[in-house]
Amino acid sequence: MSGPARDNVPEEPRLWQVKIAMVATPAEHEELMDRLSNVLCSDPDHEGPCAIPWAMHSVNGDSLSRRKRNALLTEIKETNWNPEEDDGTGKTGGRWRPA
């Protein structure tokens, strides 16, 4: 329901989860984690809690089940589809690599 009374009411914060699956070297992974931390909290030396409360964790894909790893790799492939490698059947020739 919208209207004048509702338009002035600020939204309540909600809990969100953002997931990112990636294929990267350990160094690339660490760099991305650092960069994401800086986006979420640009001043790590500030006093008190962050303006936007957050937590971050990372899971090595080797610890996941084969089914979960394959599902994540499929999501990555679908997100980073490279038409230059498509042979017309939707399958790529050779081993898949990120675009």
Side-chain angles (χ1 to χ4, degrees):
M1 168 191 296
S2 66
R6 192 123 162 96
D7 290 341
N8 295 329
V9 177
E11 288 190 52
E12 289 293 319
R14 298 179 183 173
L15 177 63
W16 297 87
Q17 182 179 40
V18 177
K19 292 184 177 185
I20 300 170
M22 63 182 171
V23 176
T25 66
E28 291 168 332
H29 165 264
E30 195 63 36
E31 179 185 351
L32 180 63
M33 296 297 283
D34 290 344
R35 291 174 70 186
L36 289 171
S37 293
N38 288 335
V39 167
L40 295 168
C41 181
S42 60
D43 179 12
D45 297 324
H46 66 80
E47 291 193 26
C50 289
I52 299 174
W54 64 278
M56 182 168 51
H57 71 274
S58 177
V59 176
N60 185 322
D62 293 342
S63 68
L64 302 173
S65 69
R66 179 177 289 182
R67 182 177 184 178
K68 183 65 176 174
R69 283 193 314 268
N70 287 339
L72 289 173
L73 288 170
T74 297
E75 286 181 37
I76 291 169
K77 182 177 178 182
E78 289 171 353
T79 302
N80 294 286
W81 175 68
N82 185 347
E84 293 176 12
E85 293 184 6
D86 192 333
D87 63 3
T89 65
K91 296 181 181 179
T92 58
R95 185 180 142 115
W96 173 77
R97 293 176 310 278

